[in-house]
Amino acid sequence: MALFIFQFGLLQPIALIVNSQLPVAVFTVGLVILMLLKNNFRIKLYVIAYFIFFSLFYLLNGLILSKNLWLTVTLFIGFILKGFSGFLAGSLNTTSKELYNAFLRIGVLNFFVIGTYPFVPFFDSMEYMRFGYAMIPSVIMFWFEVMGEKKYNPIWWGMTIYSTVITVIYGSRGTILVLLLVILLSVLFSKKLAIGKKLFISVFFGIIIYLVIKNDLVIKIIDYLFFDLGIKSYALEKLRMMVIDGIAESSSGRDVLYSSILFYIKQNPVIGYGIGYSESVLGLYPHNIFLQIMLESGFIALTCWLCIWIYCSYKYRILSMEQETGIFKITTLVISVALGRLLVSSDFWLRPEYWFILSILVNYQRNRNLE
């Protein structure tokens, strides 16, 4: 399960050598086969049920609404290999402790594989977005570890601070959103914190954010890194543009894309235009999960998804009340990575971490680990 989430970062050196992301796809297929062999090709009933439901929905949606049948079929294959393989991975039996330890070990390995990204010329062809989203799971695991340790460990703290800094400076802005989501979920759903403490922390961070904005500390820090230290990364350049010129100017064309998607949604808000419509007409992924659902399947599908998300939120609430250390932290990590990415980029049908966490929450049962 840990390998499934970290495989993208672990395989980047090989992908750069062959100049293709094919190794990631091949490794994913290999993991799926290994999972099936390990379980003697026994697949849980809920996995089969969800696969049939979403497959029928996907294909019927494409046949009825889509104008490009070939694109629908191609995307459906991608959904099975990239997306739903994550759902299968999330159904594996494990325990809370085993899950956490596996994520931590693989997180360390991932850190050593791509942690030299800013300083090694070999990684120059690795896109900043790929680096950021590949490194962020390790960053989160390191923070979980140092915050949970009773004794100060300089090695863990060194890796934590270093990985956080290079991810913020050299990764995409979406990784900052992921970190904010981790903090928000950890505070709001912490059983150890009383309501009064949660309120105090919220107010405290609100004041800090207000002071930072009021005194222009963000742009001062960025300018110091960008001009004084000479760290002219693309991520810092975009952050600086966002602070000075606004979100729209630094959105890399997302404002235009979102405006186009909203235009189409207004024309047909009930049933949408079919899966893959954005790729077919606009040539880009929708870059926002809510807009994508409305564009492809309309308000009806969005309502269905809201019901699924409410059910998963209920499961997450139960999980947080039990405070199963491993499961709670790992689900918080994957929820943050999935949501943080799908709010500003990608296609949710193809995001394995989205389907991975969906499977874990659907499969989770009270007073049991992850069985």
Side-chain angles (χ1 to χ4, degrees), residues 337-356:
V337 171
L339 185 59
R341 185 162 192 172
L342 288 174
L343 285 175
V344 295
S345 67
S346 200
D347 180 333
F348 81 94
W349 291 106
L350 305 178
R351 292 300 342 145
E353 60 272 9
Y354 172 80
W355 295 94
F356 180 89

Side-chain angles (χ1 to χ4, degrees), residues 39-59:
N39 289 275
N40 296 318
F41 288 89
R42 291 195 302 268
I43 301 175
K44 293 181 178 179
L45 184 60
Y46 86 93
V47 177
I48 298 174
Y50 270 72
F51 178 73
I52 293 174
F53 173 77
F54 283 111
S55 295
L56 288 175
F57 172 81
Y58 201 113
L59 295 175

